[in-house]
Amino acid sequence: MESWVRAVVEAIHSSRAQAVIYLAGGASQALGWLLSVPGASGTVLEVVVPYSMASMAQLLGKMPLQFTSKQAAEDMALAAFNRALKLSGPGLQVMGVGFTGSLASSRPKHGEHRFYVSTRTQNCLRTSHVTLSKGLRSREEEDKVSSYFLLKAIADGCKVPATIQSDVQEPELPKESVEQFDEDQELQQVIDGQVCMKVYHFSDSMDKNFNRKIILPGSFNPLHDGHLRLLEVASRWKNVIISNQPYFYKKAELFPGSAFVIGADTAARLVNPKYYGGDYNRMLEILLECKNTGTTFLVGGRNIEGVFKVLEDLDIPVELREMFISIPEEKFRMDISSTDIRKKQGP
């Protein structure tokens, strides 16, 4: 490993960023560099190599129109970012990395030797495209060049300075694109289901040893002041997550030990056997499984059938009561719901 490569990898490992990496068709040497330098376990959350068509289709949930393309790399980066969000530790920057290449092989290729590398963070999508000169390098040499660019892309995502020392020629210089997302766009991506969650860090407001994640679930259809006020209350905790996962038991599996910020109307539905096929014991079984993961619920007052109610007004089974924590009415009250807004808006 060249000394400058080791220096870049050490800087990446010191950045406190965590990444999931999906790659196919090249850049394999970059994985060796990343994993052979101490500190890799704090940076690399997961690596997947979806080399077959079936593996790639399963990874992305669809068959790419073209496997070595900008769109495929960006789809891989987005899938990796969503995976990283679920695997990462509280308070850490996460990144999804996608690489797809068509390099020299045992048989001559009619098309270009090229690769795409894309990185996705909470507020940025970066993609680089490099077309290599055919016949200039062996497969191993092309793999090394693509590894340099993958390493630089990861360094850029970690905000670590990195200058590639490679022999790329003038026609081989990368074509790059950068798309920044503002706060509203980030939240909209969660609402649209493109991104599985948004994490808000409030590390200065709590004990540094407090690592519980606070999750604000909901359909956000539409997003209204009630959601934002709940977020404001929840922000007094350390890490807050906006999530679009539809089922609480699934959220509990994804985020064990987390606290969910909900309204009293949602809390009432949670303990209503009606939503468990009329089976009271099934309701208890599912919520006790959530309890065993360390799940709790922070409950704000809401209008239920025209009457403002708080947690204390609800009939919570005794086995589950310690899971539910009341948000005092003086700290949160918002007589509004997405359902009412949709009714007023009409079809």
Side-chain angles (χ1 to χ4, degrees):
M1 186 190 308
E2 296 102 319
S3 59
W4 72 268
V5 171
R6 174 174 287 275
V8 171
V9 173
E10 288 175 345
I12 290 171
H13 290 341
S14 299
S15 70
R16 285 183 53 79
Q18 295 187 319
V20 167
I21 303 170
Y22 293 160
L23 79 164
S28 63
Q29 295 173 60
L31 297 182
W33 300 336
L34 286 167
L35 298 178
S36 63
V37 174
S41 61
T43 302
V44 181
L45 294 168
E46 184 176 81
V47 176
V48 177
V49 182
Y51 233 144
S52 71
M53 293 176 63
S55 178
M56 181 70 82
Q58 187 176 69
L59 180 76
L60 300 181
K62 62 181 180 181
M63 187 68 72
L65 294 176
Q66 188 173 9
F67 281 79
T68 305
S69 64
K70 181 175 184 284
Q71 187 63 57
E74 292 180 351
D75 287 346
M76 293 169 75
L78 178 60
F81 176 62
N82 277 311
R83 179 67 172 160
L85 284 171
K86 297 171 184 176
L87 297 178
S88 67
L92 298 178
Q93 175 191 346
V94 301
M95 171 173 40
V97 182
F99 175 96
T100 178
S102 178
L103 306 182
S105 66
S106 56
R107 292 175 295 179
K109 291 186 175 179
H110 296 296
E112 298 174 328
H113 293 192
R114 67 194 189 280
F115 60 84
Y116 297 82
V117 57
S118 182
T119 57
R120 174 63 195 260
T121 59
Q122 181 168 278
N123 63 359
C124 186
L125 172 66
R126 296 175 181 270
T127 306
S128 295
H129 167 214
V130 174
T131 301
L132 299 171
S133 300
K134 292 178 69 171
L136 186 62
R137 304 176 182 86
S138 67
R139 167 64 185 231
E140 183 178 0
E141 291 168 336
E142 288 190 354
D143 186 90
K144 177 173 278 191
V145 171
S146 64
S147 293
Y148 288 152
F149 279 94
L150 177 61
L151 189 66
K152 184 180 188 307
I154 295 173
D156 290 342
C158 296
K159 298 180 173 59
V160 169
T163 301
I164 292 180
Q165 298 178 21
S166 69
D167 62 346
V168 293
Q169 310 297 313
E170 183 70 29
E172 300 176 316
L173 293 177
K175 298 178 177 62
E176 300 181 337
S177 64
V178 180
E179 185 177 0
Q180 298 281 351
F181 308 113
D182 61 28
E183 192 84 10
D184 290 340
Q185 289 172 316
E186 292 171 27
L187 191 54
Q188 190 61 50
Q189 288 166 0
V190 176
I191 295 169
D192 293 342
Q194 182 181 7
V195 174
C196 66
M197 70 184 84
K198 175 171 169 52
V199 182
Y200 292 85
H201 302 300
F202 303 93
S203 56
D204 293 335
S205 62
M206 290 293 294
D207 184 335
K208 298 295 184 183
N209 295 319
F210 184 82
N211 285 329
R212 170 163 291 201
K213 294 179 179 179
I214 310 300
I215 301 172
L216 179 61
S219 64
F220 310 113
N221 181 26
L223 180 71
H224 58 68
D225 287 344
H227 297 129
L228 301 178
R229 282 286 294 117
L230 272 177
L231 176 59
E232 181 182 336
V233 172
S235 68
R236 294 165 192 168
W237 298 69
K238 186 175 180 181
N239 299 295
V240 179
I241 297 173
I242 306 293
S243 167
N244 60 12
Q245 174 57 248
Y247 301 111
F248 276 102
Y249 73 92
K250 288 292 187 182
K251 296 183 181 80
E253 290 174 1
L254 287 174
F255 314 115
S258 296
F260 295 92
V261 185
I262 61 177
D265 53 342
T266 300
R269 289 193 296 272
L270 267 178
V271 297
N272 188 339
K274 169 186 173 182
Y275 298 98
Y276 303 84
D279 190 334
Y280 180 88
N281 290 328
R282 178 60 177 158
M283 177 271 291
L284 276 183
E285 179 186 354
I286 289 176
L287 292 180
L288 285 173
E289 287 178 4
C290 294
K291 181 180 178 181
N292 290 337
T293 69
T295 296
T296 57
F297 298 98
L298 304 178
V299 184
R302 291 291 297 275
N303 265 320
I304 301 178
E305 297 179 352
V307 179
F308 187 84
K309 293 188 177 182
V310 294
L311 175 63
E312 290 74 15
D313 298 316
L314 306 180
D315 185 15
I316 306 294
V318 64
E319 301 95 327
L320 306 174
R321 285 177 188 168
E322 65 184 47
M323 295 177 67
F324 293 82
I325 302 169
S326 181
I327 299 175
E329 183 178 348
E330 63 270 17
K331 292 187 177 179
F332 174 81
R333 175 162 182 163
M334 187 65 66
D335 300 343
I336 188 173
S337 73
S338 296
T339 301
D340 291 339
I341 293 174
R342 290 196 300 272
K343 286 179 179 177
K344 291 177 181 177
Q345 290 175 338

